[in-house]
Structure formats: C-alpha cells, structure tokens
Amino acid sequence: MSLNSALSVAKSALGTTATRAEIVSRNISNSDTPGYVRKTAQTETLQSGGVKIASIDRRVDQMLNRLDRSNISDLAHQRQLVDGMTAYTDILGQPNDETSPAAYLSQFSTDLAALAISPNSSAAQQSALASAKALAGNLNAMSSVLDGVASEVDASIVLDVGDLNAALNEVANINLAVLQSPDGSMELTNQQDRLDRALDTIAGIMDVKITTDSRGMTQIHSGGGTELLVNNKAATIGFDRVGGTLRAGGIEITPGATTRGFASGSLAGLFEMRDRTLPAWQADLDTIAGGLVEGTGRLAELVPGSGMGLFTDAGNAYDPGARAGLAARIAINAVADPARGGEVAVLHSGGDPARLSGDTSIIDGMLDAINTPVQVDVADGSAQRSLVSLVPSIVARQQSERVNAETGYERQSVSASITSSSRSNMQGVDVDEELQNLLAIQQAYAANAKIVSTASEMIDSLIAAV
C-alpha cells in the first residue's frame, strides 16, 4: 500500500470515528430524554480500503412497541375509571359512614320510630323533620356530586380530543419529514423518535392500529378500523357534547356505540364513565328518592287528596315518568316545614285536626314506606326490596365497583410496568455501555491519528531528501 493510500484510509477512518463519537455522545446526553432511542453507526468498507458511515440505526423492537402501546391504552382506560369513580365514592362513603345515604335513612327510621312512641311530642316531631331534611339534602348533594363528575368527564373528553388531533397532525407532519430525510441519516432517526413519542401519546388516548408503508409513511386506524391518518392527511376528531358522540371526519367512533370505534385508552374510559357508570349511579339515587316520594305520598299523605307525603318532587306529587334526576329535586313538603310556613305537627295529624292524639297512622305509613318491600329496578337487578335494605346495598355495590376498578388498574399496572421496562432496556441508553464504546472509539481515533501523523512525516522526509 502506498503512503498516499495509507493516508487516505486513515483520514476516512478519522472521519468515521469522529461521527461515531458524536453519536455516542448524543446517546449519553439524551439518556434521560423520554422517548429517545439509542443510535448506532453502521460502517462500510470502501473499495479503496477506507471506511464510511453506511447508516445510523435505531435499536427498536416493534413487537415490544405494539405490546407496550396496548398496555398504555388499557392502563389509561382503567385510570379514568378509577379517577371518576373515586371522585364520587370518596364523598359517598361506606354504608356505615355518617355521610352515606344509608346512614341518613337509618337516622330517619330511628327518629320515626321514636315519634311513633310519642306522636304529640314537639321534640320528636322536630327530630323526625330534621332527619328527613338531612336525608333529602344528602340525596341532593350526591346527585350534585355526580353532575360535577359528569361535567369534569365532558371537559376531559374535550381536552383528550384536542390532544388527539394535535398528535395526529404531528404524525402527519412527521410523515412529510420522513419523506424528505435521507435513508440511514441522523435526521431520519430523529424523526422516528418524534414519531414514537407521538404514537405513544395517541395510544394513551385510544387504541389504534399502526402500519408503515414502503416509503416509511405511518398510517393510523382506530381499533375498529376507521381511518385516522393516511399519508399526511389526518381526520379531524370531533366531540358532540349534546349528542354524546365522537366522530372521525364524518364517521362515528363513539366507544361502545359502534364497531368502528375503539375499546381502550383514556377516551374509552371517559365515555364509559359518561354513558354507563354515571347514569347507572344516578339512576340508583333516583330509585331511592323515588321510593321516598312515592311511598310517603301513597301511604302517608300530609294533605288529604294531594298525593304528597313528607317527601316531594320539588313540591309536586310523584310522577313515575319523571323519575330521572329526582334525587336532585327531592324536597320536604312545605306543609310540614315551619321554615316555609308549614306546621311540623302535620307529621302526626296528616292535615286532619280531628285526628286522635294516639293515632299514629301517618307515622306508621312513613315507616311502612321505608320498611315494606316493593318492586325496584336497580343496576344489580329487579327485586322486591325495602328502602332500608336497598340503600345500604346500593352504597356497598357502588363502592365495590370502585374497588374492582382499582384492582383492575393495579393488575394492569404490573403487566404494563414489565413491558415498559423491557422496552426501555431494549431501546434506551445504557450510559456505562456507551462510555465503554466511547473509550474504544477514542483509542481507534488515536491510532488512526498516529497513522496520519506517521505517514505525513514519511512524506515530508521523502520530499526533503529529493
């Protein structure tokens, strides 16, 4: 090999090792950057004997990526269920907690029993009225909490839809950048890192199917097959708050409403809360309120012929066709409330001034309204249930649903953590390994620099000898 050839080979090696050193340094500096994938330089020997960087590769496992994104979707789904349920059940309490509807109903039953013993006692009448007000107020408050959670869920859906549109548009822009990036270049690997981060974001919002065409362009479909991104054209995702529907372009993708939608991700969890869990829990509260309004109106009228007992539907008699939202409207009959111009003694008299002092029929009617089994329809089935047995079971079941959601989340977290760690270990940066690589590169650089220096000295000596 001639001196010129040796000098040329060494120079090419110097350039290659400098690029490799830059890549390793970039790996180390980005070791804590979320979504950064370790880069490696692939070299190629030239016909002249020199060397060049053939490509810069990313160390990825697409199967791990798919599995991790599936776990991200499932985990985000469960997280929304846990958060939404907890916001309500923390205030609901357990059946024996003083703040639960079961405790308020129990206190009302106790005060009614005391009133039945002393029907003419003003103190007993006031206690029964106070516990009735507290029970109605608790149902109002719990209904308001559900309304608040529902509003937060809708607001979260709007935010998720905005994030989803932004991520889809980012992938569309990345697709264009990928087309313009040379194969095997650092620019291309940087765009692929951006792509993975955007796809992870999308997976957290909804489960998707991701494919890559021969040009490196990413195509995205919903779990049910609806086109979300084709080439650089992203569908606009829209949420109709009134109709409760989600659309991709003109196609409905509402979770649970169409096979073309999706089944996991934070949006799926939010829609499950919005369309299933919260309405069912509201219906439970309305069943309790309905039992109080209908039962006392039927068995213990406070004004003869009014059809209204101690509990009313915002001052009206019970209407079976208007039970939806009744928990928010249930109120004490004004005729029994001194604060509204009524007389608490009506709890005994039932509006009949001639009623005998020992006649407890009105009080007994109220006790029957909460203790006598009637046909009720709740989330866990239709059956003959009394309010005193139904209300604690509703509270316990709603708490159980929250516990089940938490258990599902914890179980999913374990699986997701294992996959995420495997993906990170496979694709992330091991600083110790990179430092060892950097040391080997420095040694190679020094060796090639010595060749260049020695060859230059030999050429100088030859020129000087001429």
Side-chain angles (χ1 to χ4, degrees):
M1 177 182 289
S2 67
L3 286 178
N4 282 335
S5 295
L7 189 59
S8 176
V9 168
K11 279 185 173 182
S12 69
L14 284 176
T16 298
T17 51
T19 301
R20 291 175 59 204
E22 178 187 350
I23 293 171
V24 171
S25 298
R26 189 184 294 245
N27 286 340
I28 293 172
S29 65
N30 284 281
S31 60
D32 293 326
T33 301
Y36 181 83
V37 176
R38 177 177 179 259
K39 312 298 188 302
T40 57
Q42 303 301 319
T43 58
E44 177 183 329
T45 301
L46 301 173
Q47 189 173 5
S48 63
V51 65
K52 72 171 186 176
I53 301 294
S55 66
I56 299 173
D57 297 340
R58 302 164 72 245
R59 186 169 61 178
V60 296
D61 186 323
Q62 295 299 342
M63 182 176 293
L64 268 179
N65 285 354
R66 285 193 296 272
L67 184 57
D68 191 35
R69 286 178 186 136
S70 176
N71 285 332
I72 289 172
S73 295
D74 292 340
L75 196 61
H77 183 182
Q78 285 297 124
R79 179 75 262 172
Q80 291 297 341
L81 295 181
V82 171
D83 289 348
M85 291 180 178
T86 300
Y88 168 74
T89 56
D90 277 355
I91 299 174
L92 175 70
Q94 298 292 340
N96 294 326
D97 290 348
E98 293 181 356
T99 58
S100 80
Y104 282 102
L105 180 63
S106 177
Q107 184 62 53
F108 177 56
S109 177
T110 298
D111 289 341
L112 279 181
L115 181 59
I117 297 172
S118 304
N120 293 309
S121 168
S122 177
Q125 292 169 358
Q126 291 289 350
S127 293
L129 178 64
S131 59
K133 282 185 174 181
L135 174 56
N138 176 257
L139 291 173
N140 295 158
M142 295 313 304
S143 183
S144 178
V145 171
L146 282 179
D147 283 344
V149 175
S151 294
E152 290 179 5
V153 166
D154 275 0
S156 295
I157 290 175
V158 171
L159 291 175
D160 269 8
V161 167
D163 291 343
L164 179 58
N165 280 321
L168 288 172
N169 283 312
E170 182 176 4
V171 176
N173 291 331
I174 292 171
N175 274 345
L176 292 177
V178 166
L179 285 179
Q180 298 167 4
S181 301
D183 290 343
S185 66
M186 179 63 77
E187 180 183 352
L188 179 60
T189 62
N190 288 338
Q191 295 300 332
Q192 290 169 335
D193 280 356
R194 281 183 61 203
L195 175 63
D196 276 349
R197 288 193 292 270
L199 294 178
D200 288 349
T201 297
I202 292 171
I205 299 173
M206 64 187 297
D207 60 293
V208 291
K209 296 176 181 177
I210 302 166
T211 57
T212 304
D213 65 19
S214 59
R215 302 166 298 166
M217 301 271 278
T218 298
Q219 321 293 327
I220 304 176
H221 294 74
S222 71
T226 300
E227 291 181 349
L228 302 179
L229 175 69
V230 177
N231 298 327
N232 65 327
K233 300 295 183 182
T236 299
I237 312 300
F239 171 50
D240 179 358
R241 206 164 186 165
V242 176
T245 58
L246 191 70
R247 293 184 177 276
I251 301 173
E252 183 176 358
I253 58 171
T254 309
T258 172
T259 57
R260 298 201 62 179
F262 53 99
S264 60
S266 58
L267 268 180
L270 290 168
F271 270 94
E272 183 172 340
M273 286 297 301
R274 184 186 195 277
D275 296 339
R276 292 174 54 190
T277 302
L278 295 180
W281 285 3
Q282 181 63 58
D284 286 340
L285 294 179
D286 293 340
T287 294
I288 298 171
L292 291 169
V293 175
E294 188 278 333
T296 58
R298 176 170 50 85
L299 299 172
E301 277 188 327
L302 297 187
V303 177
S306 68
M308 292 189 291
L310 180 55
F311 297 97
T312 70
D313 181 354
N316 300 302
Y318 178 71
D319 178 359
R323 195 171 73 173
L326 181 54
R329 304 189 305 269
I330 187 171
I332 297 301
N333 196 326
V335 301
D337 187 0
R340 298 162 63 195
E343 296 287 342
V344 71
V346 77
L347 295 181
H348 164 249
S349 69
D352 182 2
R355 190 176 299 278
L356 297 176
S357 61
D359 185 346
T360 61
S361 58
I362 298 298
I363 301 167
D364 292 341
M366 288 188 283
L367 283 168
D368 286 344
I370 62 176
N371 287 290
T372 302
V374 295
Q375 191 70 26
V376 294
D377 297 314
V378 288
D380 54 357
S382 176
Q384 290 278 331
R385 306 282 291 277
S386 68
L387 282 176
V388 292
S389 68
L390 174 66
V391 176
S393 71
I394 285 176
V395 174
R397 174 173 48 75
Q398 291 179 350
Q399 288 287 359
S400 178
E401 289 177 22
R402 186 262 310 164
V403 171
N404 290 340
E406 288 181 341
T407 301
Y409 177 76
E410 291 167 1
R411 183 168 53 247
Q412 187 65 42
S413 294
V414 174
S415 172
S417 177
I418 293 172
T419 305
S420 179
S421 295
S422 297
R423 181 184 180 190
S424 178
N425 292 337
M426 167 67 185
Q427 300 178 178
V429 177
D430 182 335
V431 175
D432 290 337
E433 180 183 353
E434 295 302 312
L435 288 173
Q436 292 175 4
N437 291 338
L438 188 59
L439 180 60
I441 291 170
Q442 289 172 335
Q443 291 172 343
Y445 189 91
N448 283 292
K450 182 64 175 177
I451 292 174
V452 171
S453 174
T454 300
S456 295
E457 289 176 0
M458 291 176 68
I459 291 173
D460 289 343
S461 296
L462 288 173
I463 292 173
V466 172

